Amino acid sequence: MELRNRPPRREPEGCLVAAIRLPVRIAVLVVVVPVRMVWDALALCARTLHRTVLRPLGRYLLVIPLTWLWRSVLTPLGRGAAWLFRHLVVVPVVWLVRYLVVAPAVWAWQYLVVVPAVWLWRWVLVPVGRGLAWLGRFLATYLLVVPGRWLWRWLLVPAGRGIAWLVRYLVVVPAVWLWQWVVVPVGRGAAWLLWTLVLVPLGALWRWVLVPLGRALAFLGRELAAALAVAWRVAGYVSRAVGRALKWALWQTVGRPARRLYRSVCTPVGHFLRDEVWRPVRATVRAALSTARRTLRRALS
């Protein structure tokens, strides 16, 4: 198993391969790094926009209203319409079809079609068919079989033998001679000319020109593809490093001061407003509303 799973051994490469590979990869890296950085920046902007704007906006503008509309309006309306359609349309139609259409149609089919058809088949068609079958057998025996046997024995068989003899000595024998002494030598000469004048030059062209050229083009294509893959990975590392540096700089210049401002200023102010302003006002309003409600109930009672 270890011998089977071992990766294939790579052949040693020469100086020419390394001399071609290194400039190609450097040039491709110079071209690919800006493209990869722009791509990563666009992907980050798209993910941020989707996470912070589009998904919450779609949730509050589409999902919640549509869910409420489906649960509160469309579902009761659909159930009511289904109940009305079932009891006002389906049940009467089923009753009408069952007792006014199906039952009379079954009775009419049975007594107006099936019974007369069975009687006609048993007492008319079967005897007539048997008579016609006997007449057909009689006519076929004495009008076709006996004359056919005589015609086959005394006319067709001798004529067929004569035609076979003529075909053998007038067609087959000359065709065999022509094939053996004309077609075969001409075909061999044409095959030798085709091999010598066409196939051998084409084989040499394929072996000594097209195959080396194809191998060179395939080598260049493989090297270009490998250079693109390596450059894309390296550009990804560079892009991630630049992104991390920008993230650290933004955190040090904006994020950390904003967090300190939120913790040291906004949070105490918010707690003060919640505990010292909002809760007393809410308690006062609730007490006033409860007092007014009790007063109104006593006045009405």
Side-chain angles (χ1 to χ4, degrees), residues 64-285:
I64 295 176
L66 289 177
T67 303
W68 178 85
L69 181 65
W70 175 263
R71 291 181 179 177
S72 302
V73 179
L74 296 179
T75 300
L77 287 178
R79 291 177 180 175
W83 185 88
L84 291 175
F85 181 77
R86 178 181 179 184
H87 289 83
L88 296 180
V89 177
V90 177
V91 174
V93 168
V94 170
W95 186 86
L96 290 175
V97 170
R98 180 180 296 174
Y99 293 102
L100 298 181
V101 177
V102 176
V106 170
W107 183 87
W109 172 263
Q110 182 176 1
Y111 290 98
L112 297 180
V113 177
V114 175
V115 174
V118 170
W119 183 87
L120 181 65
W121 172 265
R122 180 177 298 175
W123 300 105
V124 177
L125 296 179
V126 172
V128 172
R130 290 177 180 174
L132 293 176
W134 179 84
L135 182 61
R137 288 195 299 270
F138 176 79
L139 294 176
T141 302
Y142 291 98
L143 294 180
L144 295 177
V145 176
V146 175
R149 289 178 180 176
W150 182 87
L151 183 65
W152 174 264
R153 179 177 297 176
W154 300 105
L155 182 60
L156 296 179
V157 172
R161 290 176 180 175
I163 293 172
W165 185 86
L166 292 175
V167 169
R168 179 180 179 183
Y169 288 99
L170 295 180
V171 178
V172 176
V173 173
V176 170
W177 182 87
L178 183 65
W179 173 266
Q180 187 173 359
W181 299 103
V182 177
V183 177
V184 172
V186 172
R188 289 178 179 175
W192 181 83
L193 291 176
L194 179 65
W195 173 262
T196 305
L197 299 179
V198 177
L199 295 180
V200 172
L202 287 179
L205 178 65
W206 172 263
R207 180 177 297 176
W208 302 107
V209 177
L210 297 179
V211 171
L213 182 61
R215 289 178 179 175
L217 293 177
F219 170 74
L220 292 177
R222 289 195 301 270
E223 291 300 325
L224 184 59
L228 285 174
V230 173
W232 187 260
R233 290 196 296 270
V234 173
Y237 297 148
V238 173
S239 177
R240 281 194 290 272
V242 172
R244 290 173 182 173
L246 290 176
K247 180 180 178 181
W248 180 82
L250 289 175
W251 173 252
Q252 297 296 330
T253 57
V254 178
R256 181 167 293 179
R259 186 178 66 175
R260 290 181 180 178
L261 178 64
Y262 178 79
R263 289 183 177 179
S264 60
V265 177
C266 296
T267 301
V269 171
H271 290 173
F272 173 77
L273 292 176
R274 183 190 62 187
D275 297 334
E276 302 297 333
V277 178
W278 170 248
R279 287 181 178 176
V281 170
R282 185 178 62 181
T284 304
V285 171

Side-chain angles (χ1 to χ4, degrees), residues 1-7:
M1 293 300 293
E2 294 180 356
L3 294 177
R4 291 182 180 178
N5 295 329
R6 184 176 299 171

Side-chain angles (χ1 to χ4, degrees), residues 27-55:
V28 172
L29 180 61
V30 172
V31 174
V32 170
V33 166
V35 177
R36 181 61 187 265
M37 293 182 67
V38 173
W39 175 264
D40 290 340
L42 291 176
L44 179 62
C45 294
R47 288 195 298 269
T48 305
L49 181 64
H50 178 265
R51 185 173 58 251
T52 58
V53 177
L54 296 180
R55 187 164 60 186

